[in-house]
């Protein structure tokens, strides 16, 4: 229909008074009067109010037919109007319905009624301005992770999703029927493959799904999540924590500068994010236990920290906080014992502030073959399942460290969301695998 080029709505909003433009998108809102119809059209860049008047019979009729979520093409002239969203309005000359929408199931009352309903219609809810804002922040988070690692000399690598042994304990393994062969699982973490790859590339990272058969439904667990993992030869725990700190600061500052509008739309208190600057406080696990006991938690040295404990700890801090030196039994077998205190490990978790809790787990790995073999046995695992992993300690072993960042939890915290499900386009948990 339209001979002139289509513009993004964000671009159309900055046009001159009287300028003739064409846009395309979806009907977001509609208000009908006797002699005029307001259609608010959205595209991926924003929303614009379009006004169809009765004196243009053809356009008016099309506007009348256009239902919420119909896809349309519109041509007209820009008029500045401070009452309209974005400060201008498009006076419709021509309007074409490209795809007429059936009555849209997501109405205002449906949104208020139940979040389960919105999960069932996630394929439609994804169009909401809220989800669109979250997805844009998520895009910036992923992009800035890539930018950060590249700028630090890390190579991007890919690890398999079908694996034959547990990284993070057998309880949360998903077994797969792999041509009837036993003991094939979905990966819980790419870590062991990244450890292989440091022997050629030294510094590697990947962003990939990880799978955990999490049987409980919590606000911060998914069965499939996106894991940004890094591994570096010759790196110790202190360097690792500095790397993590720099990564998080880079991501947060990029989101603050590129996604201010989206954070505003989500109602995020950006002041809290502006405080995220190095250095992050570092708290020994021993001190964390003392603080928790003082706060009245029934917790003993040796217990792992759950979400309630992490929430209580992070409430005292404005920045993300490292908890380091977890006891051996709180951490997976590959964590290196602290030479000066073998009952604890050279590990550190990073907890996001404002009650969000753990977003990163990492530390130094055992590089000595015998120590690793003993640990595997002590944890009740079968060394046969870890033959190739043990080989890395036989052929030119090297001190090394790495970490895994849960990107969905990170997005949840940055956006200030109540539930991790909101941070992911198509969340998977014990109940949800559809749509
Ligand atoms: O289990 S972790 O603490 N550590 C690892 O998997 C290491 N193998 C990573 C590594 O060193 N390469 O998980 C790391 C992070 C954790 O801090 C969370 O942010 C996230 O992965 N994570 C999850 N996010 C969402 N849902 C679930 N179930 C989940 N489990 C871990």
């Amino acid at each position: 229909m339209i001979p002139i080029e289509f513009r993004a709505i964000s671009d159309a909003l900055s046009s001159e008074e009287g300028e003739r433009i064409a846009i395309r998108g979806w009907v977001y809102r509609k208000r009908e009067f006797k002699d005029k119809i307001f259609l608010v059209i959205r595209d991926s860049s924003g929303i614009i109010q379009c006004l169809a008047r009765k004196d243009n019979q053809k356009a008016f009729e099309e506007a009348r037919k256009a239902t919420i979520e119909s896809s349309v093409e519109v041509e007209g002239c820009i008029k500045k109007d401070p009452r309209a969203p974005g400060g201008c309005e498009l006076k419709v000359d021509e309007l074409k319905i490209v795809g007429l929408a059936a009555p849209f199931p997501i109405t205002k009352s449906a949104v208020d009624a139940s979040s389960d309903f919105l999960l069932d219609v996630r394929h439609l809810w994804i169009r909401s301005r809220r989800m669109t804002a979250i997805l844009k922040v998520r895009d910036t988070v992923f992009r800035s992770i890539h930018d950060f690692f590249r700028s630090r000399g890390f190579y991007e690598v890919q690890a398999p999703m079908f694996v034959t042994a547990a990284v993070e304990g057998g309880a949360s393994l998903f077994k797969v029927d792999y041509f009837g062969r036993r003991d094939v699982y979905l990966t819980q973490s790419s870590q062991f493959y990244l450890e292989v790859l440091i022997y050629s590339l030294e510094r590697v990272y990947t962003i990939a799904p990880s799978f955990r058969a999490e049987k409980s439904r919590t606000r911060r667990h998914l069965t499939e999540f996106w894991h940004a993992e890094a591994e570096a030869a010759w790196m110790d725990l202190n360097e690792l924590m500095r790397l993590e700190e720099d990564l998080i600061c880079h991501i947060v500052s990029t989101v603050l500068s590129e996604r201010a509008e989206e954070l505003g739309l989500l109602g995020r208190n950006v002041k809290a994010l502006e405080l995220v600057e190095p250095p992050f406080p570092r708290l020994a696990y021993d001190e964390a236990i003392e603080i928790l006991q003082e706060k009245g938690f029934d917790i003993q040295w040796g217990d792992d920290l759950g979400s309630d404990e992490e929430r209580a700890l992070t409430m005292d801090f404005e920045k993300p906080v490292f908890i380091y030196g977890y006891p051996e039994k709180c951490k997976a077998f590959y964590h290196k014992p602290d030479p000066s205190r073998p009952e604890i490990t050279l590990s550190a978790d990073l907890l996001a502030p404002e009650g969000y809790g753990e977003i990163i787990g990492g530390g130094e790995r055992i590089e000595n073959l015998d120590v690793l073999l003993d640990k595997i046995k002590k944890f009740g695992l079968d060394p046969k399942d870890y033959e190739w992993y043990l080989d890395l300690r036989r052929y030119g072993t090297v001190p090394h460290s790495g970490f895994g960042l849960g990107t969905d939890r990170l997005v949840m915290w940055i956006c200030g969301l109540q539930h991790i499900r909101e941070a992911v386009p198509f969340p998977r948990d014990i109940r949800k695998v559809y749509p």
Side-chain angles (χ1 to χ4, degrees):
M1 93 171 202
I2 288 164
I4 54 180
E5 229 174 76
F6 291 103
R7 294 223 200 141
I9 287 176
S10 58
D11 181 30
L13 289 172
S14 55
S15 317
E16 299 296 318
E17 174 82 22
E19 204 174 327
R20 191 167 187 77
I21 61 149
I23 54 142
R24 52 188 167 185
W26 290 263
V27 177
Y28 175 63
R29 265 192 240 125
K30 180 174 179 178
R31 273 182 301 145
E32 256 183 288
F33 300 95
K34 226 168 73 208
D35 56 347
K36 58 184 175 192
I37 297 170
F38 291 100
L39 294 178
V40 177
I41 308 297
R42 62 166 184 86
D43 70 3
S44 61
S45 71
I47 57 173
I48 189 168
Q49 177 167 297
C50 302
L51 172 60
R53 286 190 172 281
K54 200 164 188 173
D55 48 19
N56 180 341
Q57 192 69 34
K58 199 162 158 245
F60 187 77
E61 269 311 302
E62 275 297 272
R64 214 176 45 75
K65 280 189 229 148
T67 47
I68 295 294
E69 288 304 320
S70 293
S71 53
V72 293
E73 296 175 349
V74 188
E75 187 183 331
C77 288
I78 287 287
K79 178 161 187 327
K80 298 281 172 200
D81 184 343
R83 290 165 306 176
C88 65
E89 188 174 81
L90 185 60
K91 304 244 164 264
V92 179
D93 290 330
E94 279 189 63
L95 192 150
K96 180 179 156 195
I97 298 173
V98 176
L100 183 70
F104 201 60
I106 306 177
T107 55
K108 171 115 184 39
S109 55
V111 172
D112 297 341
S114 104
S115 60
D116 272 352
F117 169 69
L118 293 182
L119 281 170
D120 291 340
V121 293
R122 180 52 77 96
H123 54 297
L124 302 175
W125 177 239
I126 215 90
R127 309 170 177 199
S128 62
R129 296 200 82 204
R130 181 174 173 83
M131 280 308 304
T132 303
I134 294 168
L135 292 175
K136 287 184 182 179
V137 173
R138 194 175 162 95
D139 165 73
T140 301
V141 165
F142 276 64
R143 194 145 5 128
S144 59
I145 295 172
H146 286 295
D147 290 345
F148 176 82
F149 280 121
R150 282 178 195 153
S151 75
R152 296 296 180 103
F154 280 72
Y155 290 95
E156 185 183 2
V157 294
Q158 291 76 32
M161 299 292 107
F162 291 127
V163 298
T164 55
V167 181
E168 298 297 328
S172 66
L173 272 179
F174 271 114
K175 204 164 189 160
V176 184
D177 179 6
Y178 199 77
F179 307 109
R181 198 180 136 186
R182 288 170 55 219
D183 302 340
V184 175
Y185 310 100
L186 293 178
T187 190
Q188 296 168 311
S189 157
S190 300
Q191 178 190 323
F192 291 177
Y193 292 93
L194 299 196
E195 286 186 60
V196 175
L197 289 155
I198 61 165
Y199 287 79
S200 52
L201 298 168
E202 293 194 41
R203 295 176 154 226
V204 294
Y205 81 99
T206 194
I207 310 182
S210 281
F211 304 88
R212 309 267 168 112
E214 305 282 0
K215 286 170 193 89
S216 53
R217 263 183 129 207
T218 76
R219 293 192 305 158
R220 57 181 203 161
H221 286 92
L222 295 167
T223 51
E224 177 184 317
F225 67 97
W226 279 78
H227 210 168
E229 296 182 87
E231 201 70 29
W234 316 109
M235 191 174 274
D236 67 16
L237 182 62
N238 271 318
E239 290 170 276
L240 186 77
M241 287 195 276
R242 280 207 298 276
L243 183 75
E244 294 175 20
E245 193 170 82
D246 288 350
L247 168 66
I248 297 300
C249 292
H250 173 74
I251 298 168
V252 170
S253 71
T254 309
V255 171
L256 280 172
S257 70
E258 290 181 8
R259 295 289 169 214
E261 190 184 325
E262 285 74 19
L263 293 175
L265 201 141
L266 294 168
R268 181 65 166 110
N269 167 18
V270 289
K271 291 259 174 329
L273 295 176
E274 281 161 4
L275 299 170
V276 179
E277 277 186 356
F280 295 166
R282 294 172 187 204
L283 198 64
Y285 168 88
D286 304 345
E287 296 169 78
I289 294 296
E290 277 168 28
I291 294 173
L292 288 167
Q293 287 171 341
E294 277 160 28
K295 285 181 187 277
F297 278 85
D298 180 19
I299 191 166
Q300 307 306 323
W301 195 95
D303 294 343
D304 203 359
L305 308 180
S307 56
D308 290 342
E309 288 79 14
E310 289 182 3
R311 164 171 282 273
L313 282 173
T314 64
M315 284 305 190
D316 294 345
F317 294 93
E318 289 183 324
K319 293 184 193 186
V321 53
F322 285 109
I323 313 282
Y324 65 91
Y326 283 82
E328 178 183 50
K329 70 170 187 175
C330 295
K331 289 288 169 192
F333 71 90
Y334 54 77
H335 283 91
K336 184 169 169 171
D338 183 336
S340 62
R341 264 182 83 190
E343 73 280 12
I344 64 169
T345 52
L346 295 173
S347 58
D349 283 359
L350 183 67
L351 314 189
E354 302 168 81
Y356 280 92
E358 183 190 336
I359 51 171
I360 293 183
E364 287 185 35
R365 322 303 193 187
I366 298 173
E367 78 262 26
N368 178 282
L369 179 64
D370 296 329
V371 178
L372 186 58
L373 261 173
D374 284 349
K375 262 292 195 82
I376 287 175
K377 289 180 199 149
K378 194 169 175 186
F379 274 66
L381 301 165
D382 186 349
K384 277 213 272 332
D385 290 336
Y386 296 94
E387 261 315 306
W388 62 255
Y389 188 62
L390 289 162
D391 263 354
L392 304 178
R393 281 73 187 167
R394 294 189 179 103
Y395 303 107
T397 193
V398 66
H400 63 287
S401 299
F403 68 86
L405 161 68
T407 60
D408 316 291
R409 286 191 188 174
L410 177 69
V411 172
M412 179 186 172
W413 163 55
I414 291 178
C415 290
L417 309 176
Q418 292 304 310
H419 204 296
I420 193 167
R421 284 193 307 243
E422 268 210 292
V424 190
F426 304 103
R428 264 73 182 113
D429 65 20
I430 191 164
R431 290 215 314 243
K432 271 264 147 235
V433 281
Y434 172 97

